[in-house]
């Protein structure tokens, strides 16, 4: 394998021509390979076929307490679902609201509530001045989209190996009362697969915000989504916050979207004190109740922590093959040609890569012309702007193994092309 | 049957003693009969048992266009669901967003959106001054609860036989730019069962609001919920508004909550122009998509307009018996003793009654002591305040026939007791 950094300009140009020929051959194939979103593949969805049939008679629709789940009622979720999520997370069942099929939707509701009603006696966020939100980046584009939608100013927080830059967070949070919250994916973060260390979680719990209505949006989307047999531990943010009298800080979210069916799962939120009262009140006004039949389906199918964790192993078997294809290919192509860096995640849904020269956008563009669709470059940053233009999020889960092999091979090809283009451009600039 | 208006005070007191003995006998029975909410009964829910089983294999989960409904995607609803609701309502399928299990939730989202984002270039409702909302009353308590939750000032609009008082509405809407909207249940209204006449709908469509962001929230909750074989026609508000260049006025809502399962149905909203763009954008930020499997279940089970209308006949057969029990009992007890007035609805879920003297609260209280739970007196008015204290909403659908017979008999008993109590109290006042 050639190391591009050791090649002369001429040698690079020759390499470029060869790669381009290869590229053009593929271009004529009209491929359509989508690696843009963290979507489970069909084989994963097939694991939950049983979910479709657990409720088939009217008797099946009665819950353990005799509640007819077909009818109205039970605003904050079935008791057995609260027990289930409590066993999984170690958070008291009384602190949960069990929702519909979208945890994102509950996060949106949460932010929207603070905008219209405020929190802890503060004036509503929408009635005061500018609202700032901290955004560990790269991060989840849909979080940032919610902040943007509500007109917040997003402040980028760099990610370190054990979580976001806590020095910077502490500074912003303690000094600026217009900083009202932070988006976190604390376990197997999207896209880098980073799990927050105990020290990071403890520093979150000890925050002393200038804004008394500061909130930690703790989107624990990948809480049981390990890719190895060894679970990466994460401290319970709620317990930690309680220790420091900060129980109003965290609002945590979970979902079964990547456990059962992404389009028809069940979402959960948990919080304490006034937050819990506020959101129970809000949901009692907003709906007569979430889909209890789907909640009942889930508890009958997933049963308890032991069966769930066993079930997640089956996901892992499917996912491991996919992630191995990507990592093996990246290793093969770039181990001795370090024009790309990547993570090797122990959980979650993504491989995050960084191009050596600032050419992520160009890589995505080149891929697109081949029919390989990647997450837009920059999408993992606030306002979709990656100032360094280096980060790309790869989502290996949805494609079939063969499709993925092709897609990742072509991705590597495009990385090389983009690198050489940029290198030559840079050289020309210097000469000018 | 004695006409209380023709009795002397002494005769009334004798009557009261007799009724009270009867009342006390029932009190010892510890009954628990709930007539408070418009909940379908088990027999109605059983009609939809087939809905549980229409999706049982993974192949069943693929929609007509090959979309795997188990996975993420399709933010604004399945195309076949849009076609279905379009056939039923006469509104173009392109104007629909198909949601989750709660139309109330979509109404809340709608109001919340206007509070945070405004409409048609106006400043967000939450950033300006006082927001006023018109509330045809008696009306749906959950509508009024949303207005109250968002701190709006609610203005009571009396209901007439063919809809709300349009003279008053036109006056408020044209003169006061802080009047931003109105809650409507235009067909078989909750609780009176009134359907807006063509003239009323046309006057809505011709409104010339002082507020350019004025909205008509058109909750067509009972659009196929006839109680007779003769459907009561209702003009299409969207078509009418278009005629007068008022396409941004109406936002309409439908749901299958009282067609299939109240706890697990499908909700719909429709609107035009900028409203549609705004809400599609909002939902694309708020969720990756609503529960498509439940949407697919519904279309496979309900099929089309002809099958749905046939299906609604089965509901009607069950409901007619219940409504007949109530109306027959009211007729028997009060036809010749006009201390109570009531409607005889041709659709919807309620019988609305008005006590002759201002004693609705006392009736509800007396019923409660017997274990007969009614909707709180006043609940059908803004701020739960019925200034006349006359209106009570009866919900006959949920109880079994025998339970209902007992409940309504006891209700009549309480009406009589409350009337005599009030009459005597009034007499005493006069004497003082």
């Amino acid at each position: 394998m050639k190391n591009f950094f050791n090649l002369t300009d001429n040698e690079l140009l020759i390499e470029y021509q060869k790669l381009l020929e290869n590229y053009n051959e593929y271009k004529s194939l009209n491929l359509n390979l989508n690696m843009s979103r963290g979507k489970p593949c069909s084989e994963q969805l097939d694991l939950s076929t049983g979910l479709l049939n657990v409720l088939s008679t009217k008797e099946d629709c009665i819950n353990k307490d005799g509640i007819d789940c077909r009818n109205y009622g039970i605003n904050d979720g079935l008791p057995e679902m609260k027990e289930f999520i409590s066993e999984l997370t170690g958070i008291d069942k009384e602190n949960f609201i069990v929702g519909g099929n979208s945890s994102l939707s509950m996060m949106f509701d949460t932010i929207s509530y603070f905008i219209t009603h405020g929190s802890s006696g503060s004036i509503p966020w929408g009635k005061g001045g500018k609202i700032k939100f901290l955004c560990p980046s790269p991060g989840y584009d849909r979080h940032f989209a919610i902040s943007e939608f509500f007109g917040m100013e997003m402040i980028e927080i760099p990610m370190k190996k054990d979580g976001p830059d806590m020095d910077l967070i502490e500074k912003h949070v303690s000094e600026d009362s217009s900083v009202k919250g932070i988006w976190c994916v604390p376990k197997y973060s999207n896209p880098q697969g980073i799990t927050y260390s105990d020290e990071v979680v403890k520093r979150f719990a000890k925050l002393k915000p200038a804004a008394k209505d500061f909130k930690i949006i703790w989107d624990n989307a990948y809480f049981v989504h390990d890719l190895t047999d060894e679970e990466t531990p994460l401290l319970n943010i709620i317990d930690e916050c309680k220790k420091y009298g900060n129980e109003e800080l965290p609002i945590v979210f979970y979902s079964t979207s990547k456990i059962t069916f992404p389009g028809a799962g069940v979402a959960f939120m948990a919080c304490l004190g006034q937050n819990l009262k506020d959101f129970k009140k809000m949901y009692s006004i907003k709906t007569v109740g979430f889909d209890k039949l789907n909640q009942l389906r889930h508890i009958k199918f997933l049963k308890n922590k032991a069966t769930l964790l066993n079930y997640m192993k089956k996901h892992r078997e499917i996912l491991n093959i996919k992630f191995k294809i990507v990592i093996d290919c990246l290793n093969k192509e770039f181990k001795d040609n370090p024009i790309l860096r990547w993570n090797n995640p122990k959980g979650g849904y993504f491989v995050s890569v960084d191009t050596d020269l600032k050419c992520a956008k160009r890589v995505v563009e080149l891929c697109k012309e081949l029919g390989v669709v990647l997450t837009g470059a920059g999408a993992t940053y606030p306002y979709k702007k990656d100032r360094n233009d280096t980060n790309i999020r790869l989502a290996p889960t949805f494609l079939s193994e063969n499709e993925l092999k092709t897609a990742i091979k072509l991705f590597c090809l495009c990385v090389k092309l983009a690198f050489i283009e940029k290198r030559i451009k840079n050289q020309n600039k210097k000469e000018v």
Side-chain angles (χ1 to χ4, degrees), chain A residues 72-77 98 283 286-292 295:
Chain A
Y72 287 119
I74 311 290
N75 193 262
D76 57 3
V98 189
Y283 280 119
K286 183 173 162 63
T287 177
V288 186
F290 291 102
D291 185 338
K292 291 188 300 298
Q295 293 182 9

Side-chain angles (χ1 to χ4, degrees), chain A residues 75 84 145 167 315 337 339 367 375 401 425:
Chain A
N75 193 262
F84 170 72
D167 292 340
H315 277 288
N337 181 20
I339 63 171
C367 279
T375 311
E401 291 172 32
K425 207 190 269 176

Side-chain angles (χ1 to χ4, degrees), chain A residues 9 356-359 418-432:
Chain A
D9 286 3
D356 184 81
L357 296 179
K358 299 176 174 189
C359 60
F419 176 89
I420 302 178
E421 280 179 4
K422 194 68 184 278
R423 177 74 172 266
I424 290 165
K425 207 190 269 176
N426 289 351
Q427 296 287 46
N428 290 346
K429 265 190 206 159
K430 277 183 203 160
E431 281 161 22
V432 172

Side-chain angles (χ1 to χ4, degrees), chain A residues 1-67:
Chain A
M1 185 59 51
K2 285 164 189 158
N3 182 336
F4 285 6
F5 290 104
N6 300 336
L7 299 188
T8 64
D9 286 3
N10 242 357
E11 284 167 332
L12 272 178
L13 273 177
I14 293 164
E15 188 66 23
Y16 187 77
Q17 282 308 323
K18 273 185 4 198
L19 293 166
L20 197 61
E21 270 172 43
N22 201 211
Y23 181 86
N24 286 327
E25 278 169 36
Y26 278 102
K27 208 168 170 179
S28 61
L29 295 182
N30 291 316
L31 295 169
N32 181 12
L33 302 170
N34 196 321
M35 279 208 293
S36 71
R37 303 298 319 178
K39 284 170 82 170
C41 62
S42 310
E43 291 74 23
Q44 287 178 271
L45 305 182
D46 293 350
L47 295 174
S48 298
T49 302
L51 186 67
L52 297 170
N53 297 303
V54 281
L55 301 184
S56 72
T57 69
K58 57 183 179 174
E59 289 79 15
D60 292 337
C61 299
I62 311 299
N63 95 325
K64 69 181 181 74
D65 304 320
I67 295 161

Side-chain angles (χ1 to χ4, degrees), chain A residues 23 27 31 33 361-374 414:
Chain A
Y23 181 86
K27 208 168 170 179
L31 295 169
L33 302 170
K361 259 196 194 138
R362 181 61 182 149
V363 171
V364 172
E365 194 177 86
L366 284 165
C367 279
K368 195 180 174 189
E369 281 173 43
L370 288 184
V372 176
V373 184
L374 303 177
C414 294

Side-chain angles (χ1 to χ4, degrees), chain A residues 55 69-71 73-75 77-78 81 98-101 264-266 287-298:
Chain A
L55 301 184
C69 296
R70 300 174 299 177
N71 222 326
I74 311 290
N75 193 262
L78 289 183
M81 276 303 261
V98 189
N101 76 319
V266 175
T287 177
V288 186
F290 291 102
D291 185 338
K292 291 188 300 298
L293 284 185
N294 207 35
Q295 293 182 9
L296 194 60
R297 266 186 210 105
H298 275 76

Side-chain angles (χ1 to χ4, degrees), chain A residues 49 95 105 161 223-224 248 319:
Chain A
T49 302
N95 297 125
S105 185
K161 279 186 181 166
F223 70 124
V224 288
E248 302 282 330
L319 291 177

